[in-house]
Amino acid sequence: MQAKEHIVSAPGKVIFHGEHAVVHGKLALAVGLDLRTYLRLQPSSSGRVSVNLPNIDTFLSWDLSSLQDLLPDCTGADLWGVREPDPEFVKKLCLFADLSDRSSDTRSLAVLAFLYVYLSVFARSRALPSVTVSVWSELPTGAGLGSSAAFSVCLSAALLSAQGAVAWPQAAEGHTARWKEEELELINKWALQGEKIIHGNPSGVDNAVGTWGGVLRYHAGKISPLSSVPVLRILLTNTKVPRSTKVLVAGVKDKINKFPAIINPVLESIDAISSSCERTLIDMASESRPEHYAVLEELIDMNQHHLNVIGVGHPSLDTLCQVTLAHSLHSKLTGAGGGGCGITLLRPDTDCSVVQKAVQELQDCGYDCWETSIGAPGVRLHSLSSVKSEVLKILSSY
């Protein structure tokens, strides 16, 4: 392992169009969100493995010899032929880290994913490396924005590179660098293993967005990135209203069963909205024009109405749409709905004062807001000078 520290980052994720319809075989567009998770990997001579997760107030360290004792039970050593997580090995990791094997809290799942990926990636090495891994995220946890996937992608990229399974790309001073396509495939496979530890049976969309970024189309279980897409300014709003994805998905299914002649055409229309958005984004990649933004705004408004029809809206999201529309801005929910988060499209020439007024009004409603962008790049290796100073300061504290 190279005796040099490295910093990697991966984006969050939002669904632009196709929420809920995708469950019923329709097209969804998932996009990279430029609120990123950063991971700093430092080789150590302490004979220990340490993980620092300040977002969730978790700071742990283990002696290498105790971790080495777990390797005979590790079955994930074939890096290229990635296997499903072994339930028995996961149980042993839970016992080792003093975690309940039924625990679902963020801290326990993050620690379990770290231990599983670290031990699996280095299982064939003669000796486990002593490292310190520190992670800081700009993403809120539990908001449906792909925070766990961004964590898993960063972990996979850093550990596979340290192991030598993929090569560290060369990031020029002040810049970032991307892994080769075949290396990204392996990074994505191992990130999915981390997601399986955390979520059980994930779709693979979140980690794919974290790996490739940009815009991904997801249809009938197949995930494929669009080759060239624009980066769009958005306002991301978290209503902070809790919701259950499982309950909302079940509610849509109930509506389909009750009113098939009404709801099925709505899902077809959402599919058409996703397809129209995809064509517009492809056109915008070569040249963005005002009429493109007008189309995107109309699609956003129509989709939000459709999502209300299928029963996944919420008064908090209605408020978001009303507040932003008063400033001639267009919003829709993203993800499960029923509260949670929404996105507001900002044109390139949208004045900052307009955004600030909208943000203030939304904050007065008790919401959290971020001005950011979608279409963000996937996992990247950073030169130190390319990392935001406030992020570098946090990562350097551990």
Side-chain angles (χ1 to χ4, degrees):
M1 189 176 124
Q2 295 182 28
K4 180 182 176 183
E5 72 172 68
H6 293 89
I7 295 178
V8 302
S9 78
K13 169 234 69 181
V14 296
I15 301 297
F16 201 5
H17 289 293
E19 300 94 335
H20 289 283
V22 70
V23 177
H24 304 280
K26 311 305 180 187
L27 172 66
L29 298 178
V31 295
L33 175 68
D34 205 25
L35 295 177
R36 303 183 74 84
T37 294
Y38 294 83
L39 181 150
R40 183 190 192 201
L41 177 72
Q42 298 168 275
S44 169
S45 58
S46 65
R48 301 183 68 81
V49 173
S50 301
V51 60
N52 302 305
L53 309 173
N55 291 94
I56 53 175
D57 196 28
T58 298
F59 307 92
L60 295 170
S61 182
W62 303 277
D63 188 82
L64 279 180
S65 59
S66 62
L67 290 168
Q68 200 84 33
D69 292 340
L70 294 167
L71 288 181
D73 298 310
C74 182
T75 58
D78 183 1
L79 292 180
W80 289 94
V82 183
R83 303 173 186 174
E84 290 295 304
D86 177 9
E88 290 304 313
F89 182 54
V90 172
K91 283 184 180 179
K92 288 181 178 178
L93 291 181
C94 287
L95 288 171
F96 171 79
D98 197 23
L99 306 172
S100 165
D101 62 358
R102 295 180 182 176
S103 181
S104 60
D105 66 282
T106 302
R107 174 191 178 276
S108 298
L109 293 172
V111 171
L112 193 58
F114 170 80
L115 286 171
Y116 182 85
V117 176
Y118 169 81
L119 288 168
S120 298
V121 165
F122 288 105
R124 287 187 175 179
S125 303
R126 290 184 178 180
L128 294 172
S130 178
V131 294
T132 297
V133 172
S134 303
V135 182
W136 172 256
S137 184
E138 298 170 329
L139 291 160
T141 58
L145 300 174
S147 60
S148 67
F151 169 72
S152 295
V153 170
C154 286
L155 194 61
S156 171
L159 295 180
L160 286 169
S161 298
Q163 196 271 352
V166 301
W168 289 110
Q170 297 300 310
E173 191 62 29
H175 293 81
T176 63
R178 183 176 187 263
W179 280 263
K180 296 177 181 178
E181 189 62 31
E182 63 271 18
E183 294 174 328
L184 290 174
E185 292 282 356
L186 185 62
I187 289 169
N188 185 55
K189 285 180 179 179
W190 277 99
L192 180 58
Q193 298 307 297
E195 280 283 87
K196 287 179 178 178
I197 295 295
I198 295 170
H199 292 297
N201 187 31
S203 68
V205 171
D206 288 15
N207 50 278
V209 172
T211 301
W212 282 282
V215 179
L216 272 68
R217 66 185 330 271
Y218 180 50
H219 184 237
K222 184 179 179 182
I223 304 169
S224 54
L226 301 189
S227 57
S228 182
V229 293
V231 174
L232 303 175
R233 286 176 70 196
I234 66 156
L235 185 66
L236 174 71
T237 300
N238 186 359
T239 68
K240 297 190 282 189
V241 174
R243 73 277 182 270
S244 165
T245 300
K246 184 178 180 180
V247 169
L248 289 159
V249 169
V252 174
K253 187 176 181 180
D254 287 344
K255 277 192 181 294
I256 293 171
N257 292 334
K258 191 175 182 180
F259 305 108
I262 297 171
I263 302 301
N264 283 324
V266 175
L267 297 178
E268 290 290 345
S269 183
I270 292 175
D271 185 63
I273 287 170
S274 298
S275 295
S276 181
C277 181
E278 179 183 11
R279 291 191 298 270
T280 304
L281 293 175
I282 292 170
D283 287 345
M284 292 176 75
S286 55
E287 181 187 5
S288 294
R289 299 188 300 273
E291 52 264 37
H292 287 136
Y293 283 91
V295 170
L296 292 179
E297 289 167 349
E298 285 193 79
L299 295 175
I300 284 171
D301 291 344
M302 286 189 286
N303 200 359
Q304 179 61 22
H305 287 303
H306 286 355
L307 291 163
N308 281 328
V309 169
I310 65 175
V312 297
H314 189 272
S316 63
L317 294 163
D318 295 339
T319 299
L320 165 64
C321 294
Q322 291 160 6
V323 167
T324 54
L325 190 57
H327 297 280
S328 300
L329 303 173
H330 301 257
S331 304
K332 66 175 286 290
L333 68 84
T334 180
C341 292
I343 55 173
T344 304
L345 182 65
L346 305 176
R347 294 191 181 211
D349 59 354
T350 300
D351 194 89
C352 290
S353 64
V354 172
V355 179
Q356 288 169 358
K357 288 176 184 176
V359 167
Q360 185 59 59
E361 291 177 32
L362 292 168
Q363 289 175 337
D364 290 343
C365 295
Y367 303 165
D368 288 338
C369 300
W370 298 264
E371 185 178 348
T372 183
S373 61
I374 54 177
V379 64
R380 290 290 186 273
L381 174 69
H382 288 260
S383 63
L384 285 179
S385 58
S386 72
V387 182
K388 299 174 185 176
S389 58
E390 60 270 26
V391 173
L392 190 58
K393 183 177 180 181
I394 293 168
L395 291 175
S396 301
S397 301
Y398 306 102

